[in-house]
Amino acid sequence: MAVYGYCRISTAKQNIDRQVRNILSVYPDAIIVKEVYTGTKFQGRRELDKILKKVIKGDTIVFDSVSRMSRTADEGFQLYQNLYEQGVNLVFLKEHYIDTDTYKQAISNQLNMTGTDIDVILKGINEYLMILAKKQIEIAFEQSEKEVQDLHQRTKEGIETARRAGKQIGQKKGTVLTVKKAIYAKQIILKHNKTFGGVLSDSETQIQAGISRNSLYLYKRELKEEIESTSIEETIRKYNHLVEIIQNKNK
Protein backbone atom coordinates (compact mmCIF):
# COMPACT_ATOMS: atom_id res chain seq x y z
CA MET A 1 0.00 0.00 0.00
CA ALA A 2 1.20 3.50 -0.82
CA VAL A 3 2.35 6.03 1.75
CA TYR A 4 2.04 9.70 0.81
CA GLY A 5 3.76 12.49 2.72
CA TYR A 6 1.85 15.72 2.17
CA CYS A 7 3.83 18.92 2.81
CA ARG A 8 2.34 22.37 2.49
CA ILE A 9 3.49 25.92 3.11
CA SER A 10 1.27 28.97 3.07
CA THR A 11 3.77 31.61 1.95
CA ALA A 12 6.94 31.73 -0.11
CA LYS A 13 8.85 32.82 3.00
CA GLN A 14 8.24 29.49 4.73
CA ASN A 15 10.57 26.52 4.28
CA ILE A 16 8.98 23.23 3.32
CA ASP A 17 12.14 21.18 3.91
CA ARG A 18 11.47 20.76 7.63
CA GLN A 19 8.16 19.00 6.95
CA VAL A 20 9.83 16.76 4.37
CA ARG A 21 12.59 15.77 6.84
CA ASN A 22 10.10 15.05 9.61
CA ILE A 23 8.03 12.75 7.42
CA LEU A 24 10.96 10.91 5.84
CA SER A 25 12.56 10.32 9.24
CA VAL A 26 9.56 8.16 10.14
CA TYR A 27 8.45 7.00 6.68
CA PRO A 28 11.63 6.90 4.51
CA ASP A 29 9.74 5.36 1.56
CA ALA A 30 6.93 7.91 1.59
CA ILE A 31 5.98 9.57 -1.70
CA ILE A 32 6.51 13.24 -0.88
CA VAL A 33 3.99 15.64 -2.32
CA LYS A 34 4.75 19.37 -1.95
CA GLU A 35 2.34 22.24 -2.25
CA VAL A 36 2.55 26.00 -1.85
CA TYR A 37 -0.88 27.41 -1.22
CA THR A 38 -2.16 30.51 0.54
CA GLY A 39 -5.58 30.03 2.03
CA THR A 40 -7.57 28.38 4.76
CA LYS A 41 -9.61 25.69 3.01
CA PHE A 42 -8.56 22.28 1.75
CA GLN A 43 -10.71 22.70 -1.37
CA GLY A 44 -8.64 23.94 -4.25
CA ARG A 45 -5.37 22.48 -3.01
CA ARG A 46 -4.42 20.83 -6.24
CA GLU A 47 -1.72 18.48 -4.95
CA LEU A 48 -3.82 17.31 -2.02
CA ASP A 49 -6.77 16.80 -4.36
CA LYS A 50 -4.56 14.60 -6.56
CA ILE A 51 -3.73 12.43 -3.56
CA LEU A 52 -7.38 12.21 -2.53
CA LYS A 53 -8.36 11.02 -6.02
CA LYS A 54 -5.78 8.22 -6.13
CA VAL A 55 -5.71 6.85 -2.56
CA ILE A 56 -7.38 3.51 -1.96
CA LYS A 57 -8.24 1.49 1.11
CA GLY A 58 -5.08 0.69 3.07
CA ASP A 59 -3.08 3.66 1.75
CA THR A 60 -1.60 6.14 4.22
CA ILE A 61 -1.34 9.94 4.14
CA VAL A 62 1.19 11.46 6.54
CA PHE A 63 1.03 15.07 7.69
CA ASP A 64 3.61 16.89 9.78
CA SER A 65 0.71 18.34 11.76
CA VAL A 66 -3.06 18.63 11.58
CA SER A 67 -2.70 22.23 10.33
CA ARG A 68 -1.17 20.89 7.09
CA MET A 69 -4.38 18.98 6.34
CA SER A 70 -6.81 21.81 6.98
CA ARG A 71 -6.92 25.08 8.89
CA THR A 72 -10.66 25.09 9.47
CA ALA A 73 -12.13 22.71 12.03
CA ASP A 74 -15.38 21.87 10.24
CA GLU A 75 -13.81 21.05 6.89
CA GLY A 76 -10.85 19.29 8.48
CA PHE A 77 -13.07 16.97 10.52
CA GLN A 78 -15.27 16.31 7.47
CA LEU A 79 -12.25 15.34 5.39
CA TYR A 80 -10.92 13.17 8.22
CA GLN A 81 -14.24 11.31 8.49
CA ASN A 82 -14.49 10.80 4.72
CA LEU A 83 -11.00 9.31 4.48
CA TYR A 84 -11.54 7.17 7.57
CA GLU A 85 -14.70 5.70 6.06
CA GLN A 86 -12.75 4.95 2.85
CA GLY A 87 -10.22 2.96 4.88
CA VAL A 88 -7.39 5.44 4.31
CA ASN A 89 -4.92 5.72 7.18
CA LEU A 90 -4.10 9.22 8.43
CA VAL A 91 -0.98 10.01 10.46
CA PHE A 92 -0.25 13.34 12.16
CA LEU A 93 3.34 13.43 13.44
CA LYS A 94 2.63 16.15 16.01
CA GLU A 95 -0.82 14.88 17.02
CA HIS A 96 -0.57 11.08 17.03
CA TYR A 97 -3.49 10.93 19.42
CA ILE A 98 -5.85 11.55 16.48
CA ASP A 99 -4.25 9.15 13.99
CA THR A 100 -6.89 6.93 12.42
CA ASP A 101 -5.22 3.90 14.06
CA THR A 102 -5.81 5.55 17.43
CA TYR A 103 -9.42 6.19 16.44
CA LYS A 104 -9.85 2.56 15.38
CA GLN A 105 -8.38 1.39 18.67
CA ALA A 106 -10.87 3.52 20.58
CA ILE A 107 -13.67 1.83 18.67
CA SER A 108 -12.25 -1.70 19.09
CA ASN A 109 -11.95 -1.14 22.84
CA GLN A 110 -15.70 -0.97 23.18
CA LEU A 111 -17.28 -3.17 25.82
CA ASN A 112 -18.83 -6.41 24.61
CA MET A 113 -22.51 -7.05 25.12
CA THR A 114 -23.49 -9.69 27.66
CA GLY A 115 -27.01 -10.57 26.58
CA THR A 116 -28.41 -9.33 29.86
CA ASP A 117 -30.15 -6.19 31.09
CA ILE A 118 -26.73 -4.66 31.79
CA ASP A 119 -26.27 -4.30 28.02
CA VAL A 120 -28.33 -1.10 28.23
CA ILE A 121 -25.57 0.43 30.38
CA LEU A 122 -22.77 -1.03 28.22
CA LYS A 123 -24.34 0.40 25.07
CA GLY A 124 -24.43 3.85 26.68
CA ILE A 125 -20.77 3.57 27.67
CA ASN A 126 -19.77 2.53 24.15
CA GLU A 127 -21.64 5.44 22.61
CA TYR A 128 -19.96 7.78 25.09
CA LEU A 129 -16.51 6.40 24.14
CA MET A 130 -17.29 7.10 20.48
CA ILE A 131 -18.31 10.66 21.31
CA LEU A 132 -15.05 11.18 23.23
CA ALA A 133 -12.97 9.85 20.33
CA LYS A 134 -14.71 12.12 17.82
CA LYS A 135 -14.42 15.09 20.15
CA GLN A 136 -10.64 14.60 20.41
CA ILE A 137 -10.38 14.87 16.64
CA GLU A 138 -12.62 17.93 16.49
CA ILE A 139 -10.64 19.64 19.26
CA ALA A 140 -7.36 19.07 17.38
CA PHE A 141 -8.72 20.81 14.27
CA GLU A 142 -10.31 23.57 16.34
CA GLN A 143 -7.01 24.21 18.12
CA SER A 144 -5.17 24.34 14.80
CA GLU A 145 -7.67 26.85 13.41
CA LYS A 146 -7.40 28.98 16.56
CA GLU A 147 -3.59 29.03 16.35
CA VAL A 148 -3.78 30.36 12.78
CA GLN A 149 -6.32 33.01 13.77
CA ASP A 150 -4.19 34.04 16.76
CA LEU A 151 -1.12 34.32 14.53
CA HIS A 152 -2.98 36.54 12.06
CA GLN A 153 -4.23 38.71 14.93
CA ARG A 154 -0.74 39.07 16.45
CA THR A 155 0.68 39.96 13.04
CA LYS A 156 -2.04 42.56 12.50
CA GLU A 157 -1.46 44.06 15.94
CA GLY A 158 2.30 44.11 15.39
CA ILE A 159 1.91 45.96 12.10
CA GLU A 160 -0.45 48.49 13.68
CA THR A 161 1.93 49.05 16.60
CA ALA A 162 4.84 49.61 14.21
CA ARG A 163 2.76 51.96 12.06
CA ARG A 164 1.77 54.06 15.06
CA ALA A 165 5.42 54.23 16.06
CA GLY A 166 6.17 55.79 12.67
CA LYS A 167 7.93 52.80 11.17
CA GLN A 168 7.70 52.06 7.45
CA ILE A 169 5.68 48.90 6.83
CA GLY A 170 6.84 47.14 3.68
CA GLN A 171 8.16 49.06 0.68
CA LYS A 172 7.18 52.64 0.08
CA LYS A 173 4.61 53.07 -2.66
CA GLY A 174 6.27 53.31 -6.03
CA THR A 175 9.56 51.74 -4.93
CA VAL A 176 10.84 48.53 -6.46
CA LEU A 177 13.09 46.04 -4.74
CA THR A 178 16.10 45.49 -6.98
CA VAL A 179 18.75 42.79 -6.84
CA LYS A 180 21.50 41.99 -9.29
CA LYS A 181 19.56 39.24 -11.04
CA ALA A 182 16.49 41.46 -11.38
CA ILE A 183 18.57 44.31 -12.81
CA TYR A 184 20.17 42.09 -15.46
CA ALA A 185 16.80 40.51 -16.30
CA LYS A 186 15.06 43.85 -16.65
CA GLN A 187 17.79 45.16 -18.94
CA ILE A 188 17.28 42.13 -21.19
CA ILE A 189 13.50 42.52 -21.11
CA LEU A 190 13.72 46.20 -22.06
CA LYS A 191 16.15 45.46 -24.86
CA HIS A 192 14.66 42.32 -26.38
CA ASN A 193 11.02 41.70 -25.33
CA LYS A 194 8.30 42.52 -27.86
CA THR A 195 6.34 44.48 -25.25
CA PHE A 196 9.11 47.09 -25.26
CA GLY A 197 9.91 47.06 -28.97
CA GLY A 198 12.17 44.01 -29.12
CA VAL A 199 11.79 40.83 -31.14
CA LEU A 200 11.64 38.11 -28.48
CA SER A 201 8.41 36.55 -27.23
CA ASP A 202 7.78 36.14 -23.51
CA SER A 203 8.96 32.53 -23.51
CA GLU A 204 12.11 33.45 -25.48
CA THR A 205 12.78 36.37 -23.16
CA GLN A 206 12.32 34.12 -20.16
CA ILE A 207 15.00 31.76 -21.46
CA GLN A 208 17.32 34.61 -22.42
CA ALA A 209 17.06 36.20 -18.97
CA GLY A 210 17.16 32.88 -17.09
CA ILE A 211 14.06 33.66 -15.02
CA SER A 212 10.73 32.03 -14.28
CA ARG A 213 7.50 32.99 -16.03
CA ASN A 214 6.17 34.59 -12.85
CA SER A 215 9.33 36.68 -12.50
CA LEU A 216 9.06 37.76 -16.13
CA TYR A 217 5.50 38.99 -15.66
CA LEU A 218 6.44 40.71 -12.39
CA TYR A 219 9.40 42.52 -13.96
CA LYS A 220 7.35 43.56 -16.99
CA ARG A 221 4.70 45.02 -14.73
CA GLU A 222 7.29 46.90 -12.68
CA LEU A 223 8.97 48.21 -15.83
CA LYS A 224 5.65 49.47 -17.21
CA GLU A 225 5.05 51.35 -13.96
CA GLU A 226 8.52 52.92 -14.14
CA ILE A 227 8.03 53.90 -17.77
CA GLU A 228 4.69 55.54 -16.95
CA SER A 229 6.34 57.73 -14.31
CA THR A 230 9.34 58.62 -16.51
CA SER A 231 9.81 57.33 -20.07
CA ILE A 232 11.06 54.20 -21.76
CA GLU A 233 14.29 55.96 -22.76
CA GLU A 234 14.96 57.04 -19.19
CA THR A 235 14.15 53.56 -17.88
CA ILE A 236 16.51 51.95 -20.38
CA ARG A 237 19.30 54.36 -19.39
CA LYS A 238 18.64 53.60 -15.74
CA TYR A 239 19.11 49.84 -16.12
CA ASN A 240 22.06 50.18 -18.47
CA HIS A 241 23.68 52.35 -15.81
CA LEU A 242 22.87 49.90 -13.00
CA VAL A 243 24.35 47.00 -14.95
CA GLU A 244 27.46 49.06 -15.63
CA ILE A 245 27.84 49.80 -11.90
CA ILE A 246 27.51 46.10 -11.02
CA GLN A 247 30.04 45.08 -13.67
CA ASN A 248 32.51 47.70 -12.44
CA LYS A 249 32.18 46.45 -8.88
CA ASN A 250 32.87 42.89 -10.00
CA LYS A 251 36.11 43.85 -11.75
Side-chain angles (χ1 to χ4, degrees), residues 36-54:
V36 177
Y37 177 81
T38 302
T40 57
K41 301 181 179 181
F42 64 79
Q43 288 100 333
R45 295 182 180 179
R46 295 179 181 177
E47 299 307 318
L48 179 57
D49 285 344
K50 290 178 183 178
I51 296 177
L52 298 180
K53 289 178 181 178
K54 69 174 67 173

Side-chain angles (χ1 to χ4, degrees), residues 15-201:
N15 192 323
I16 206 168
D17 294 339
R18 177 185 57 78
Q19 295 178 45
V20 175
R21 288 195 303 270
N22 290 346
I23 292 174
L24 291 180
S25 67
V26 183
Y27 297 89
D29 297 326
I31 302 169
I32 298 298
V33 177
K34 300 179 183 180
E35 182 153 50
V36 177
Y37 177 81
T38 302
T40 57
K41 301 181 179 181
F42 64 79
Q43 288 100 333
R45 295 182 180 179
R46 295 179 181 177
E47 299 307 318
L48 179 57
D49 285 344
K50 290 178 183 178
I51 296 177
L52 298 180
K53 289 178 181 178
K54 69 174 67 173
V55 288
I56 59 175
K57 183 177 181 180
D59 285 348
T60 299
I61 307 177
V62 185
F63 302 87
D64 184 50
S65 71
V66 67
S67 64
R68 301 304 90 193
M69 179 175 173
S70 175
R71 290 182 179 177
T72 59
D74 291 341
E75 291 170 337
F77 182 67
Q78 179 186 344
L79 179 58
Y80 183 104
Q81 287 287 80
N82 291 342
L83 290 170
Y84 175 80
E85 291 170 2
Q86 293 174 35
V88 177
N89 302 311
L90 299 175
V91 176
F92 304 92
L93 299 183
K94 292 182 179 178
E95 301 95 0
H96 277 305
Y97 62 91
I98 64 165
D99 289 354
T100 47
D101 280 348
T102 305
Y103 189 35
K104 291 174 186 175
Q105 186 176 0
I107 296 174
S108 64
N109 285 342
Q110 289 185 320
L111 301 174
N112 295 322
M113 299 295 104
T114 64
T116 65
D117 291 343
I118 201 169
D119 285 353
V120 175
I121 299 175
L122 295 179
K123 182 180 179 181
I125 294 174
N126 284 338
E127 290 176 352
Y128 180 63
L129 290 174
M130 282 296 297
I131 292 173
L132 285 179
K134 289 182 178 180
K135 193 59 181 176
Q136 283 278 62
I137 299 168
E138 290 176 330
I139 289 173
F141 281 105
E142 287 170 358
Q143 181 62 31
S144 174
E145 182 178 0
K146 184 178 183 301
E147 289 175 356
V148 172
Q149 292 173 345
D150 288 346
L151 176 60
H152 289 168
Q153 182 62 30
R154 289 196 299 271
T155 302
K156 182 179 179 180
E157 291 173 353
I159 292 173
E160 181 60 25
T161 299
R163 182 178 287 110
R164 292 188 178 187
K167 295 182 180 179
Q168 174 66 38
I169 307 300
Q171 290 180 221
K172 292 182 179 179
K173 186 176 181 180
T175 62
V176 177
L177 179 64
T178 56
V179 294
K180 289 182 181 179
K181 185 175 181 179
I183 291 172
Y184 279 115
K186 287 182 177 181
Q187 184 195 42
I188 292 172
I189 294 170
L190 284 169
K191 186 181 296 184
H192 301 292
N193 188 259
K194 288 182 178 179
T195 301
F196 303 101
V199 297
L200 297 183
S201 65

